[in-house]
Amino acid sequence: MELEMVKIVIDTAKCTGCGTCVDTCPVAVYEIKDKKSVPVKVDECLVCRACEVQCPETAIQVIE
């Protein structure tokens, strides 16, 4: 079984730590640390892109 590598890039200059990604993500990939979003469980990512779409600052990029 080949593991698909997903990369989540947070633009910390844009991220306001609002927590939208935390609330939106169905598998709890994100945590807010030091007022910024941090993808702590990237391996859990379903690539549904809800975080990307919902982020009010467009600070999240999900790369397959």
Side-chain angles (χ1 to χ4, degrees):
M1 185 178 135
E2 197 177 311
L3 201 66
E4 280 188 50
M5 284 303 294
V6 175
K7 191 176 173 194
I8 298 173
V9 179
I10 308 285
D11 185 336
T12 52
K14 288 182 181 177
C15 178
T16 60
C18 70
T20 300
C21 54
V22 176
D23 298 336
T24 303
C25 182
V27 289
V29 166
Y30 300 95
E31 278 178 23
I32 301 297
K33 291 183 182 174
D34 300 323
K35 298 182 179 150
K36 297 287 178 185
S37 174
V38 180
V40 288
K41 296 188 201 160
V42 179
D43 53 334
E44 300 283 316
C45 179
L46 302 172
V47 197
C48 68
R49 300 191 190 277
C51 57
E52 227 178 30
V53 173
Q54 296 296 324
C55 178
E57 308 302 324
T58 60
I60 301 173
Q61 219 184 341
V62 179
I63 303 162
E64 282 184 271

Short mmCIF file of all heavy atoms in Angstrom, two decimals:
data_model
loop_
_atom_site.label_atom_id
_atom_site.label_comp_id
_atom_site.label_asym_id
_atom_site.label_seq_id
_atom_site.Cartn_x
_atom_site.Cartn_y
_atom_site.Cartn_z
N MET A 1 0.84 -1.19 0.00
CA MET A 1 0.00 0.00 0.00
C MET A 1 0.88 1.25 0.00
O MET A 1 1.73 1.42 0.86
CB MET A 1 -0.89 -0.01 1.25
CG MET A 1 -1.88 1.12 1.31
SD MET A 1 -2.88 0.93 2.80
CE MET A 1 -2.86 2.61 3.36
N GLU A 2 0.65 2.10 -0.97
CA GLU A 2 1.44 3.31 -1.07
C GLU A 2 0.80 4.42 -0.24
O GLU A 2 -0.41 4.64 -0.30
CB GLU A 2 1.54 3.75 -2.54
CG GLU A 2 2.67 4.73 -2.77
CD GLU A 2 2.81 5.09 -4.24
OE1 GLU A 2 2.84 4.18 -5.08
OE2 GLU A 2 2.89 6.29 -4.52
N LEU A 3 1.62 5.09 0.54
CA LEU A 3 1.13 6.16 1.39
C LEU A 3 1.16 7.48 0.64
O LEU A 3 2.18 7.86 0.10
CB LEU A 3 2.01 6.25 2.65
CG LEU A 3 1.39 6.93 3.86
CD1 LEU A 3 0.22 6.11 4.39
CD2 LEU A 3 2.43 7.10 4.95
N GLU A 4 0.00 8.12 0.55
CA GLU A 4 -0.06 9.41 -0.11
C GLU A 4 0.43 10.47 0.87
O GLU A 4 -0.06 10.57 1.98
CB GLU A 4 -1.49 9.74 -0.53
CG GLU A 4 -1.89 9.06 -1.81
CD GLU A 4 -3.24 9.55 -2.31
OE1 GLU A 4 -3.43 10.77 -2.39
OE2 GLU A 4 -4.08 8.69 -2.60
N MET A 5 1.38 11.25 0.41
CA MET A 5 1.91 12.29 1.28
C MET A 5 1.14 13.59 1.04
O MET A 5 1.06 14.06 -0.09
CB MET A 5 3.40 12.53 1.00
CG MET A 5 4.28 11.45 1.59
SD MET A 5 4.11 11.22 3.37
CE MET A 5 4.74 12.77 3.98
N VAL A 6 0.58 14.09 2.09
CA VAL A 6 -0.12 15.36 2.04
C VAL A 6 0.72 16.37 2.80
O VAL A 6 1.28 16.06 3.85
CB VAL A 6 -1.52 15.25 2.71
CG1 VAL A 6 -2.21 16.61 2.75
CG2 VAL A 6 -2.38 14.25 1.97
N LYS A 7 0.80 17.56 2.25
CA LYS A 7 1.54 18.61 2.92
C LYS A 7 0.58 19.75 3.19
O LYS A 7 -0.20 20.14 2.31
CB LYS A 7 2.70 19.08 2.03
CG LYS A 7 3.68 19.99 2.72
CD LYS A 7 4.84 20.31 1.78
CE LYS A 7 5.72 21.36 2.43
NZ LYS A 7 6.65 21.98 1.49
N ILE A 8 0.59 20.26 4.41
CA ILE A 8 -0.26 21.38 4.76
C ILE A 8 0.64 22.57 5.07
O ILE A 8 1.50 22.50 5.94
CB ILE A 8 -1.17 21.06 5.97
CG1 ILE A 8 -2.10 19.90 5.61
CG2 ILE A 8 -1.97 22.30 6.38
CD1 ILE A 8 -2.93 19.38 6.75
N VAL A 9 0.44 23.64 4.32
CA VAL A 9 1.25 24.84 4.49
C VAL A 9 0.38 25.94 5.08
O VAL A 9 -0.66 26.28 4.53
CB VAL A 9 1.86 25.31 3.15
CG1 VAL A 9 2.69 26.56 3.33
CG2 VAL A 9 2.70 24.20 2.53
N ILE A 10 0.83 26.47 6.21
CA ILE A 10 0.14 27.58 6.85
C ILE A 10 0.97 28.84 6.63
O ILE A 10 2.15 28.88 6.99
CB ILE A 10 0.00 27.37 8.38
CG1 ILE A 10 -0.62 26.01 8.72
CG2 ILE A 10 -0.80 28.52 9.01
CD1 ILE A 10 -2.08 25.86 8.50
N ASP A 11 0.35 29.85 6.04
CA ASP A 11 1.02 31.14 5.89
C ASP A 11 0.84 31.88 7.21
O ASP A 11 -0.21 32.47 7.49
CB ASP A 11 0.38 31.92 4.74
CG ASP A 11 1.10 33.23 4.46
OD1 ASP A 11 1.78 33.76 5.37
OD2 ASP A 11 0.98 33.73 3.33
N THR A 12 1.87 31.81 8.07
CA THR A 12 1.76 32.37 9.42
C THR A 12 1.62 33.89 9.40
O THR A 12 1.12 34.48 10.35
CB THR A 12 2.96 31.96 10.30
OG1 THR A 12 4.17 32.26 9.61
CG2 THR A 12 2.92 30.48 10.62
N ALA A 13 2.03 34.53 8.29
CA ALA A 13 1.85 35.98 8.17
C ALA A 13 0.36 36.31 8.02
O ALA A 13 -0.10 37.34 8.50
CB ALA A 13 2.64 36.51 6.99
N LYS A 14 -0.38 35.41 7.38
CA LYS A 14 -1.82 35.63 7.17
C LYS A 14 -2.67 35.08 8.31
O LYS A 14 -3.74 35.60 8.60
CB LYS A 14 -2.28 34.95 5.88
CG LYS A 14 -1.82 35.60 4.60
CD LYS A 14 -2.40 34.81 3.43
CE LYS A 14 -1.99 35.37 2.08
NZ LYS A 14 -2.54 34.52 0.99
N CYS A 15 -2.21 34.00 8.94
CA CYS A 15 -2.99 33.32 9.98
C CYS A 15 -3.20 34.21 11.20
O CYS A 15 -2.26 34.76 11.74
CB CYS A 15 -2.29 32.03 10.39
SG CYS A 15 -3.12 31.14 11.72
N THR A 16 -4.47 34.32 11.61
CA THR A 16 -4.80 35.14 12.78
C THR A 16 -5.12 34.28 14.01
O THR A 16 -5.44 34.80 15.06
CB THR A 16 -6.01 36.04 12.49
OG1 THR A 16 -7.14 35.21 12.17
CG2 THR A 16 -5.74 37.00 11.34
N GLY A 17 -5.04 32.96 13.84
CA GLY A 17 -5.35 32.06 14.96
C GLY A 17 -6.82 32.07 15.33
O GLY A 17 -7.17 31.84 16.48
N CYS A 18 -7.69 32.33 14.35
CA CYS A 18 -9.13 32.44 14.63
C CYS A 18 -9.77 31.11 15.01
O CYS A 18 -10.82 31.07 15.64
CB CYS A 18 -9.85 33.05 13.42
SG CYS A 18 -9.94 31.96 11.97
N GLY A 19 -9.12 30.00 14.60
CA GLY A 19 -9.63 28.69 14.98
C GLY A 19 -10.66 28.10 14.03
O GLY A 19 -11.22 27.04 14.29
N THR A 20 -10.91 28.77 12.91
CA THR A 20 -11.88 28.26 11.93
C THR A 20 -11.47 26.88 11.43
O THR A 20 -12.30 25.98 11.32
CB THR A 20 -12.04 29.23 10.74
OG1 THR A 20 -12.49 30.49 11.24
CG2 THR A 20 -13.03 28.72 9.71
N CYS A 21 -10.18 26.70 11.16
CA CYS A 21 -9.69 25.40 10.67
C CYS A 21 -9.89 24.30 11.72
O CYS A 21 -10.25 23.18 11.39
CB CYS A 21 -8.23 25.50 10.26
SG CYS A 21 -7.14 26.14 11.54
N VAL A 22 -9.68 24.66 12.97
CA VAL A 22 -9.86 23.71 14.07
C VAL A 22 -11.32 23.25 14.11
O VAL A 22 -11.61 22.06 14.25
CB VAL A 22 -9.47 24.34 15.43
CG1 VAL A 22 -9.75 23.39 16.58
CG2 VAL A 22 -8.00 24.74 15.43
N ASP A 23 -12.24 24.22 13.97
CA ASP A 23 -13.67 23.91 14.02
C ASP A 23 -14.15 23.20 12.76
O ASP A 23 -15.10 22.42 12.80
CB ASP A 23 -14.49 25.20 14.19
CG ASP A 23 -14.16 25.91 15.50
OD1 ASP A 23 -13.69 25.24 16.45
OD2 ASP A 23 -14.37 27.13 15.58
N THR A 24 -13.52 23.47 11.63
CA THR A 24 -13.95 22.94 10.34
C THR A 24 -13.44 21.53 10.07
O THR A 24 -14.15 20.72 9.50
CB THR A 24 -13.46 23.87 9.20
OG1 THR A 24 -13.95 25.18 9.44
CG2 THR A 24 -13.96 23.41 7.84
N CYS A 25 -12.22 21.25 10.48
CA CYS A 25 -11.59 19.97 10.16
C CYS A 25 -12.32 18.79 10.80
O CYS A 25 -12.47 18.74 12.02
CB CYS A 25 -10.13 19.96 10.60
SG CYS A 25 -9.29 18.43 10.19
N PRO A 26 -12.77 17.82 9.97
CA PRO A 26 -13.51 16.67 10.52
C PRO A 26 -12.64 15.68 11.28
O PRO A 26 -13.16 14.86 12.04
CB PRO A 26 -14.12 16.01 9.28
CG PRO A 26 -13.26 16.43 8.14
CD PRO A 26 -12.69 17.77 8.50
N VAL A 27 -11.31 15.75 11.10
CA VAL A 27 -10.43 14.78 11.76
C VAL A 27 -9.41 15.43 12.70
O VAL A 27 -8.41 14.82 13.06
CB VAL A 27 -9.72 13.86 10.73
CG1 VAL A 27 -10.71 12.89 10.11
CG2 VAL A 27 -9.02 14.67 9.65
N ALA A 28 -9.68 16.66 13.11
CA ALA A 28 -8.86 17.36 14.12
C ALA A 28 -7.37 17.42 13.77
O ALA A 28 -6.52 17.07 14.58
CB ALA A 28 -9.07 16.73 15.49
N VAL A 29 -7.07 17.86 12.56
CA VAL A 29 -5.68 18.00 12.12
C VAL A 29 -5.01 19.20 12.83
O VAL A 29 -3.83 19.16 13.12
CB VAL A 29 -5.60 18.16 10.58
CG1 VAL A 29 -4.22 18.66 10.13
CG2 VAL A 29 -5.93 16.84 9.91
N TYR A 30 -5.80 20.24 13.12
CA TYR A 30 -5.22 21.50 13.60
C TYR A 30 -5.35 21.75 15.09
O TYR A 30 -6.29 21.32 15.73
CB TYR A 30 -5.90 22.68 12.88
CG TYR A 30 -5.72 22.63 11.39
CD1 TYR A 30 -6.69 22.05 10.58
CD2 TYR A 30 -4.58 23.13 10.79
CE1 TYR A 30 -6.53 21.98 9.20
CE2 TYR A 30 -4.41 23.08 9.41
CZ TYR A 30 -5.38 22.50 8.63
OH TYR A 30 -5.21 22.44 7.28
N GLU A 31 -4.37 22.50 15.58
CA GLU A 31 -4.41 23.05 16.94
C GLU A 31 -3.92 24.48 16.85
O GLU A 31 -3.12 24.81 15.98
CB GLU A 31 -3.48 22.27 17.88
CG GLU A 31 -4.07 20.99 18.43
CD GLU A 31 -3.08 20.24 19.32
OE1 GLU A 31 -2.14 20.85 19.86
OE2 GLU A 31 -3.25 19.02 19.45
N ILE A 32 -4.40 25.32 17.78
CA ILE A 32 -3.89 26.69 17.83
C ILE A 32 -2.78 26.73 18.87
O ILE A 32 -2.99 26.35 20.02
CB ILE A 32 -5.01 27.70 18.19
CG1 ILE A 32 -6.16 27.64 17.18
CG2 ILE A 32 -4.45 29.12 18.31
CD1 ILE A 32 -5.79 28.02 15.75
N LYS A 33 -1.60 27.13 18.42
CA LYS A 33 -0.45 27.24 19.32
C LYS A 33 0.17 28.62 19.11
O LYS A 33 0.45 28.99 17.97
CB LYS A 33 0.59 26.16 19.02
CG LYS A 33 0.13 24.76 19.39
CD LYS A 33 1.20 23.72 19.14
CE LYS A 33 0.68 22.32 19.46
NZ LYS A 33 1.64 21.28 19.09
N ASP A 34 0.39 29.34 20.20
CA ASP A 34 0.94 30.70 20.12
C ASP A 34 0.16 31.56 19.12
O ASP A 34 0.76 32.27 18.31
CB ASP A 34 2.44 30.65 19.74
CG ASP A 34 3.26 29.90 20.77
OD1 ASP A 34 2.95 30.02 21.98
OD2 ASP A 34 4.19 29.18 20.37
N LYS A 35 -1.16 31.46 19.17
CA LYS A 35 -2.07 32.26 18.34
C LYS A 35 -1.94 32.02 16.84
O LYS A 35 -2.32 32.85 16.03
CB LYS A 35 -1.92 33.75 18.66
CG LYS A 35 -2.27 34.07 20.10
CD LYS A 35 -2.16 35.56 20.38
CE LYS A 35 -2.55 35.82 21.84
NZ LYS A 35 -1.88 36.95 22.40
N LYS A 36 -1.40 30.85 16.48
CA LYS A 36 -1.31 30.47 15.07
C LYS A 36 -1.80 29.03 14.92
O LYS A 36 -1.67 28.23 15.83
CB LYS A 36 0.14 30.55 14.57
CG LYS A 36 0.74 31.94 14.62
CD LYS A 36 0.16 32.85 13.56
CE LYS A 36 0.75 34.26 13.66
NZ LYS A 36 0.12 35.19 12.71
N SER A 37 -2.33 28.73 13.74
CA SER A 37 -2.77 27.37 13.45
C SER A 37 -1.57 26.48 13.16
O SER A 37 -0.66 26.87 12.44
CB SER A 37 -3.69 27.38 12.23
OG SER A 37 -4.00 26.06 11.87
N VAL A 38 -1.59 25.28 13.76
CA VAL A 38 -0.51 24.33 13.53
C VAL A 38 -1.14 22.98 13.14
O VAL A 38 -1.96 22.45 13.88
CB VAL A 38 0.35 24.14 14.82
CG1 VAL A 38 1.47 23.14 14.57
CG2 VAL A 38 0.90 25.46 15.30
N PRO A 39 -0.75 22.45 11.97
CA PRO A 39 -1.26 21.13 11.59
C PRO A 39 -0.51 20.05 12.37
O PRO A 39 0.63 19.74 12.05
CB PRO A 39 -0.99 21.04 10.09
CG PRO A 39 0.08 22.04 9.81
CD PRO A 39 0.08 23.03 10.92
N VAL A 40 -1.13 19.52 13.41
CA VAL A 40 -0.45 18.57 14.29
C VAL A 40 -0.64 17.11 13.87
O VAL A 40 0.13 16.25 14.24
CB VAL A 40 -0.88 18.74 15.77
CG1 VAL A 40 -0.30 20.01 16.36
CG2 VAL A 40 -2.39 18.73 15.92
N LYS A 41 -1.68 16.85 13.09
CA LYS A 41 -1.93 15.47 12.65
C LYS A 41 -2.12 15.42 11.14
O LYS A 41 -3.18 15.03 10.64
CB LYS A 41 -3.19 14.92 13.33
CG LYS A 41 -3.12 14.80 14.82
CD LYS A 41 -4.35 14.08 15.32
CE LYS A 41 -4.60 14.36 16.78
NZ LYS A 41 -5.99 14.07 17.13
N VAL A 42 -1.08 15.81 10.42
CA VAL A 42 -1.15 15.85 8.95
C VAL A 42 -1.48 14.48 8.36
O VAL A 42 -2.19 14.37 7.37
CB VAL A 42 0.17 16.41 8.36
CG1 VAL A 42 0.10 16.44 6.84
CG2 VAL A 42 0.45 17.79 8.90
N ASP A 43 -0.99 13.43 9.00
CA ASP A 43 -1.25 12.06 8.50
C ASP A 43 -2.73 11.68 8.57
O ASP A 43 -3.16 10.71 7.96
CB ASP A 43 -0.37 11.03 9.22
CG ASP A 43 -0.49 11.11 10.74
OD1 ASP A 43 -0.82 12.19 11.27
OD2 ASP A 43 -0.24 10.09 11.40
N GLU A 44 -3.52 12.43 9.34
CA GLU A 44 -4.96 12.17 9.46
C GLU A 44 -5.75 12.89 8.37
O GLU A 44 -6.94 12.62 8.17
CB GLU A 44 -5.47 12.66 10.82
CG GLU A 44 -4.83 12.02 12.03
CD GLU A 44 -5.35 10.62 12.29
OE1 GLU A 44 -6.57 10.41 12.21
OE2 GLU A 44 -4.52 9.74 12.57
N CYS A 45 -5.11 13.81 7.68
CA CYS A 45 -5.79 14.68 6.70
C CYS A 45 -6.50 13.88 5.63
O CYS A 45 -5.92 12.98 5.02
CB CYS A 45 -4.77 15.63 6.07
SG CYS A 45 -5.49 16.72 4.82
N LEU A 46 -7.77 14.22 5.38
CA LEU A 46 -8.58 13.53 4.38
C LEU A 46 -8.54 14.26 3.03
O LEU A 46 -9.18 13.83 2.08
CB LEU A 46 -10.04 13.48 4.85
CG LEU A 46 -10.32 12.81 6.19
CD1 LEU A 46 -11.76 13.02 6.59
CD2 LEU A 46 -9.97 11.34 6.16
N VAL A 47 -7.84 15.36 2.97
CA VAL A 47 -7.76 16.20 1.78
C VAL A 47 -9.16 16.62 1.33
O VAL A 47 -9.46 16.64 0.13
CB VAL A 47 -6.96 15.53 0.63
CG1 VAL A 47 -6.54 16.57 -0.42
CG2 VAL A 47 -5.72 14.84 1.14
N CYS A 48 -10.01 16.95 2.28
CA CYS A 48 -11.35 17.42 1.93
C CYS A 48 -11.32 18.92 1.61
O CYS A 48 -12.25 19.45 1.04
CB CYS A 48 -12.33 17.15 3.07
SG CYS A 48 -12.05 18.12 4.57
N ARG A 49 -10.21 19.55 2.00
CA ARG A 49 -9.97 20.97 1.73
C ARG A 49 -10.95 21.93 2.39
O ARG A 49 -11.04 23.10 2.02
CB ARG A 49 -9.92 21.25 0.22
CG ARG A 49 -8.82 20.47 -0.47
CD ARG A 49 -8.59 20.93 -1.88
NE ARG A 49 -7.70 20.03 -2.60
CZ ARG A 49 -6.37 20.09 -2.52
NH1 ARG A 49 -5.78 20.99 -1.79
NH2 ARG A 49 -5.64 19.24 -3.19
N ALA A 50 -11.71 21.45 3.37
CA ALA A 50 -12.65 22.31 4.07
C ALA A 50 -11.92 23.47 4.76
O ALA A 50 -12.37 24.60 4.74
CB ALA A 50 -13.45 21.51 5.10
N CYS A 51 -10.75 23.17 5.31
CA CYS A 51 -9.96 24.20 6.00
C CYS A 51 -9.52 25.29 5.02
O CYS A 51 -9.61 26.48 5.32
CB CYS A 51 -8.73 23.58 6.66
SG CYS A 51 -7.64 22.69 5.53
N GLU A 52 -9.10 24.86 3.84
CA GLU A 52 -8.66 25.77 2.80
C GLU A 52 -9.79 26.70 2.38
O GLU A 52 -9.61 27.91 2.26
CB GLU A 52 -8.23 24.94 1.58
CG GLU A 52 -6.93 25.32 0.97
CD GLU A 52 -6.55 24.42 -0.20
OE1 GLU A 52 -7.43 23.88 -0.91
OE2 GLU A 52 -5.35 24.24 -0.39
N VAL A 53 -10.97 26.12 2.17
CA VAL A 53 -12.14 26.87 1.73
C VAL A 53 -12.65 27.80 2.82
O VAL A 53 -13.03 28.93 2.55
CB VAL A 53 -13.26 25.88 1.29
CG1 VAL A 53 -14.55 26.61 0.98
CG2 VAL A 53 -12.81 25.07 0.09
N GLN A 54 -12.66 27.33 4.06
CA GLN A 54 -13.26 28.08 5.16
C GLN A 54 -12.35 29.14 5.77
O GLN A 54 -12.83 30.06 6.42
CB GLN A 54 -13.72 27.13 6.27
CG GLN A 54 -14.83 26.17 5.86
CD GLN A 54 -16.12 26.88 5.50
OE1 GLN A 54 -16.49 27.88 6.10
NE2 GLN A 54 -16.80 26.36 4.50
N CYS A 55 -11.04 29.02 5.60
CA CYS A 55 -10.11 29.97 6.22
C CYS A 55 -10.39 31.39 5.73
O CYS A 55 -10.27 31.68 4.54
CB CYS A 55 -8.66 29.60 5.92
SG CYS A 55 -7.48 30.78 6.63
N PRO A 56 -10.77 32.30 6.65
CA PRO A 56 -11.11 33.66 6.24
C PRO A 56 -9.91 34.45 5.73
O PRO A 56 -10.08 35.44 5.02
CB PRO A 56 -11.69 34.29 7.51
CG PRO A 56 -11.22 33.46 8.63
CD PRO A 56 -10.97 32.08 8.08
N GLU A 57 -8.71 34.00 6.05
CA GLU A 57 -7.51 34.71 5.63
C GLU A 57 -6.80 34.04 4.46
O GLU A 57 -5.71 34.46 4.07
CB GLU A 57 -6.52 34.84 6.81
CG GLU A 57 -7.11 35.42 8.09
CD GLU A 57 -7.70 36.81 7.89
OE1 GLU A 57 -7.14 37.60 7.09
OE2 GLU A 57 -8.73 37.10 8.52
N THR A 58 -7.38 32.96 3.94
CA THR A 58 -6.75 32.12 2.90
C THR A 58 -5.28 31.81 3.24
O THR A 58 -4.39 31.94 2.42
CB THR A 58 -6.84 32.75 1.47
OG1 THR A 58 -6.18 34.01 1.46
CG2 THR A 58 -8.28 32.89 1.04
N ALA A 59 -5.07 31.41 4.49
CA ALA A 59 -3.72 31.14 4.98
C ALA A 59 -3.32 29.67 4.87
O ALA A 59 -2.20 29.31 5.17
CB ALA A 59 -3.61 31.60 6.43
N ILE A 60 -4.26 28.81 4.44
CA ILE A 60 -4.00 27.38 4.41
C ILE A 60 -3.94 26.86 2.99
O ILE A 60 -4.78 27.18 2.16
CB ILE A 60 -5.10 26.60 5.18
CG1 ILE A 60 -5.14 27.08 6.63
CG2 ILE A 60 -4.83 25.09 5.11
CD1 ILE A 60 -6.30 26.49 7.43
N GLN A 61 -2.92 26.05 2.75
CA GLN A 61 -2.75 25.39 1.46
C GLN A 61 -2.58 23.90 1.71
O GLN A 61 -1.70 23.50 2.47
CB GLN A 61 -1.51 25.95 0.78
CG GLN A 61 -1.64 26.15 -0.68
CD GLN A 61 -0.32 26.62 -1.31
OE1 GLN A 61 0.57 27.10 -0.64
NE2 GLN A 61 -0.21 26.45 -2.60
N VAL A 62 -3.44 23.09 1.11
CA VAL A 62 -3.32 21.64 1.22
C VAL A 62 -2.74 21.15 -0.10
O VAL A 62 -3.33 21.34 -1.15
CB VAL A 62 -4.70 20.97 1.49
CG1 VAL A 62 -4.54 19.46 1.57
CG2 VAL A 62 -5.30 21.52 2.78
N ILE A 63 -1.56 20.55 -0.02
CA ILE A 63 -0.85 20.11 -1.22
C ILE A 63 -0.76 18.59 -1.25
O ILE A 63 -0.29 17.98 -0.29
CB ILE A 63 0.57 20.72 -1.27
CG1 ILE A 63 0.48 22.26 -1.20
CG2 ILE A 63 1.32 20.28 -2.53
CD1 ILE A 63 1.78 22.93 -0.81
N GLU A 64 -1.21 18.01 -2.36
CA GLU A 64 -1.14 16.55 -2.50
C GLU A 64 0.12 16.15 -3.25
O GLU A 64 0.54 16.84 -4.15
CB GLU A 64 -2.35 16.04 -3.28
CG GLU A 64 -3.59 15.98 -2.43
CD GLU A 64 -4.74 15.37 -3.21
OE1 GLU A 64 -5.46 16.14 -3.86
OE2 GLU A 64 -4.90 14.16 -3.16
#
